């Protein structure tokens, strides 16, 4: 068993609390499902949001899914001119038997543009 880092991101349509929480829950659940993980496998999770997202802490979505005994942290992305707006990113550390090349990173919606090298056709849900 090794600790692996899973990446994911979602671009939201608007900065509204319900929309943000729904999107982050979807992203987080897809990250776990794609890698055959459950909450017990998690070591810690870092959530970041672009500066234009202020309606809620993204980590609240994970708490609402029952992730209680895992350290969660939120941070703000750098405000770089021309960067993709309304994006939440997740960097989750988990214990798994997956080799590094088999870890699946999930990019939903417009966030697929962030890492086209990691997204195959049809995965930019």
């Amino acid at each position: 068993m090794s600790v692996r880092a899973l990446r994911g991101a979602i671009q939201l349509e608007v900065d509204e609390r319900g929309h943000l929480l729904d999107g982050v829950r979807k992203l987080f659940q897809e990250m776990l499902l794609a890698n055959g993980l459950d909450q017990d496998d998690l070591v810690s999770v870092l959530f970041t949001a672009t500066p234009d997202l202020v309606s809620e802490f993204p980590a609240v979505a994970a708490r609402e899914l029952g992730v209680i005994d895992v350290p969660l942290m939120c941070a703000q992305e750098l405000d770089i001119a021309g960067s993709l707006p309304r994006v939440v990113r997740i960097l989750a550390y988990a214990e798994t038997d997956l080799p590094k090349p088999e870890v699946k990173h999930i990019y939903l919606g417009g966030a697929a543009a962030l890492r086209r090298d990691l997204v195959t056709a049809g995965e930019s849900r």
Side-chain angles (χ1 to χ4, degrees):
M1 191 79 63
S2 299
V3 174
R4 300 286 185 230
L6 297 79
R7 295 174 294 191
I10 185 168
Q11 184 180 35
L12 303 172
E13 294 175 23
V14 293
D15 180 30
E16 293 176 356
R17 184 179 189 275
H19 180 64
L20 183 143
L21 293 175
D22 288 345
V24 174
R25 277 192 298 265
K26 178 181 179 182
L27 172 61
F28 191 61
Q29 289 174 313
E30 287 199 28
M31 289 172 65
L32 295 178
L33 182 65
N35 290 286
L37 301 172
D38 60 37
Q39 296 176 16
D40 290 337
D41 299 316
L42 294 172
V43 174
S44 64
V45 185
L46 173 65
F47 298 83
T48 66
T50 51
D52 51 2
L53 294 175
V54 297
S55 61
E56 184 58 273
F57 293 102
V60 169
R63 293 289 186 227
E64 289 180 350
L65 288 171
V67 180
I68 304 301
D69 61 351
V70 176
L72 307 178
M73 180 175 277
C74 293
Q76 188 177 78
E77 284 287 332
L78 296 173
D79 191 11
I80 304 298
S83 62
L84 202 58
R86 300 176 316 282
V87 174
V88 174
R89 291 172 175 84
I90 299 177
L91 180 61
Y93 297 93
E95 294 178 323
T96 181
D97 289 324
L98 289 173
K100 284 182 185 180
E102 292 182 24
V103 172
K104 293 181 179 74
H105 307 288
I106 307 297
Y107 291 81
L108 303 180
L114 296 171
R115 291 300 307 262
R116 293 219 183 271
D117 59 318
L118 296 178
V119 179
T120 60
E123 282 189 345
S124 61
R125 317 178 268 292

